[in-house]
Amino acid sequence: MSLTFHWFLPTHGDSRQIVSGGHGTPAGATGGDRPATLGYLTQIARAAEQLGFAGALTPTGAWCEDAWLTTAMVAAQTERLRFLVAFRPGFVSPTLAAQMAATFQWHTSGRLLLNVVTGGESKEQRAYGDFLDKDARYARTEEFLRVVRGLWAGRTVDLDGTHLRVAGARLKRLPSPVPEIYFGGSSAAAGEVAARHSDVYLTWGEPPAAVAGKIAWIRGLAAARGRTVRFGIRLHVITRDTSEQAWAQAQHLLDGFDPATVRAVQQGLARSESEGQRRMLALHGGSTADLEISPGLWAGVGLVRGGAGTALVGSHAEVADLITEYYRLGIDEFILSGYPHLEEAYWFGEGVLPLLTHRTLWTHPDRPSAAPARSTIGGTADGAGDDTADGAGAA
């Protein structure tokens, strides 16, 4: 099975430093911003498409631009790239969401994927008019997905649920193909929804042992319901020709952090109700010391950014080794990003992806015949051994 790689559209702006924001914290940059214009986002999307990424994730929240509208416009400027649209089910009716997805598929020839984000921050949810608590939000998400799944299957749906009511709901046009549901969450309530409805369960970039535990947890819950789920991981990446260059770039990003910004962001994130965010914070404890929490896994991003807070750091061969390690645990899909997103897409796409092609772990969507026949899992293309220990919202 070929691995799948997605990139990220920074609809909150981009920078040569890490742009903060997410999980209730306002967007801001420790360096000069590149505004999230349609032209710049299209540049990134076209680069990702050319390099062989399958799709691009867009975030959701008050700190960034709307994902549905942005991707609809960028989709018109691309040909193959799919768009993993993050959205919160409490903000729109399930019938309308199902219809929007069908329309998106119709106009883009089937290039929509959906990242369902229940929402882990009550303060931000209330700003949008949603006053349910966290557990109730997950219960509503389950009802929401029950309605959407039924509509996409061509059924007439009636639901008198605890949080949602629909009567005689039906779609005139069915989505083709049916969008896959990506879903993340580290709480017990999240696990139940993921087991029932997700096609791909997403985790943020924790160390391999923790990721293995999550995979076993969700796999067991899904199996108990007669389902199988694929697994993906949300990570940042810093890859260079040499390990020294990659770690120098990580240090450059760290040097750009304003201590006052770090304190403010950490104080805000400490109030998060998200279990996934709590796990991210525990990786670094708000300190700039010992940020390499596992060989090649750097927690520095999480000092100033909510959500995904870790990065794969190393030479192209070392990063390929890290990806191979996660793959062996059961991860099939990687959602990656880097600062700035345009340049880092090329570093990864031209540096790491060819090594994974050599290992027969990945093939370019536009050049499937380019992959060699012989698998080299366990070694890199340049002969270096696989001797390292080691991509959306988790509430």
Side-chain angles (χ1 to χ4, degrees):
M1 178 179 182
S2 179
L3 293 178
T4 299
F5 291 93
H6 306 275
W7 198 241
F8 186 85
L9 291 183
T11 55
H12 50 296
D14 203 1
S15 174
R16 290 189 176 274
Q17 300 292 336
I18 295 176
V19 180
S20 62
H23 274 256
T25 61
T30 55
D33 275 345
R34 297 179 187 178
T37 63
L38 183 61
Y40 182 60
L41 296 175
T42 298
Q43 269 189 288
I44 296 171
R46 285 176 171 168
E49 187 171 67
Q50 179 262 323
L51 290 164
F53 290 94
L57 171 67
T58 48
T60 182
W63 62 296
C64 57
E65 304 297 333
D66 177 74
W68 284 101
L69 292 174
T70 300
T71 55
M73 289 185 277
V74 175
Q77 308 300 319
T78 54
E79 298 177 359
R80 173 188 52 78
L81 194 72
R82 290 181 288 175
F83 295 91
L84 181 50
V85 174
F87 81 105
R88 301 186 188 186
F91 298 168
V92 63
S93 82
T95 306
L96 179 57
Q99 182 184 23
M100 290 166 64
T103 298
F104 200 111
Q105 293 297 62
W106 169 246
H107 288 305
T108 66
S109 299
R111 291 195 282 145
L112 175 68
L113 305 167
L114 288 178
N115 177 205
V116 177
V117 180
T118 296
E121 317 304 332
S122 291
K123 180 179 179 181
E124 187 176 23
Q125 296 291 124
R126 290 194 294 268
Y128 283 94
D130 177 18
F131 288 82
L132 295 182
D133 63 23
K134 179 181 172 181
D135 285 344
R137 290 198 295 270
Y138 274 108
R140 179 181 59 195
T141 295
E142 196 283 324
E143 293 179 358
F144 182 98
L145 290 174
R146 212 186 316 163
V147 173
V148 168
R149 290 284 198 191
L151 291 170
W152 286 348
R155 297 195 295 269
T156 298
V157 178
D158 298 284
L159 176 68
D160 186 7
T162 303
H163 304 287
L164 297 174
R165 296 178 63 191
V166 298
R170 191 173 182 85
L171 293 182
K172 178 181 178 181
R173 179 189 302 282
L174 299 182
S176 180
V178 171
E180 289 190 304
I181 299 294
Y182 290 66
F183 189 87
S186 299
S187 64
E192 290 296 324
V193 177
R196 291 178 183 274
H197 294 289
S198 67
D199 296 299
V200 180
Y201 174 79
L202 293 176
T203 179
W204 286 330
E206 298 182 28
V211 170
K214 277 190 170 182
I215 290 173
W217 169 51
I218 296 297
R219 187 173 280 157
L221 290 176
R225 291 160 178 77
R227 300 186 71 241
T228 58
V229 177
R230 304 200 316 277
F231 295 92
I233 193 167
R234 172 76 179 96
L235 287 155
H236 305 277
V237 63
I238 303 172
T239 180
R240 294 295 186 271
D241 294 335
T242 68
S243 181
E244 291 77 14
Q245 291 170 344
W247 285 106
Q249 175 61 17
Q251 186 62 47
H252 166 74
L253 294 175
L254 186 63
D255 291 343
F257 294 174
D258 177 4
T261 298
V262 173
R263 287 193 297 271
V265 170
Q266 291 301 298
Q267 289 171 2
L269 295 177
R271 295 189 290 269
S272 173
E273 301 167 28
S274 165
E275 174 63 16
Q277 185 62 70
R278 183 196 66 77
R279 292 167 70 111
M280 283 285 103
L281 294 179
L283 295 177
H284 54 69
S287 170
T288 58
D290 301 321
L291 288 173
E292 189 178 4
I293 56 173
S294 183
L297 186 64
W298 185 65
V301 179
L303 291 173
V304 294
R305 185 192 189 279
T310 55
L312 302 179
V313 181
S315 68
H316 304 314
E318 289 169 340
V319 170
D321 288 342
L322 295 170
I323 287 170
T324 301
E325 178 71 16
Y326 281 111
Y327 164 69
R328 286 172 170 164
L329 297 177
I331 298 293
D332 296 318
E333 302 203 17
F334 292 78
I335 302 174
L336 305 173
S337 56
Y339 297 94
H341 288 74
L342 182 60
E343 289 90 328
E344 288 296 338
Y346 280 104
W347 277 113
F348 183 84
E350 295 177 344
V352 178
L353 289 181
L355 300 182
L356 296 172
T357 296
H358 187 85
R359 300 180 187 193
T360 67
L361 291 180
W362 178 81
T363 58
H364 194 296
D366 298 328
R367 299 188 290 274
S369 62
R374 183 175 61 87
S375 174
T376 57
I377 295 176
T380 62
D382 60 3
D386 182 11
D387 57 358
T388 61
D390 273 331

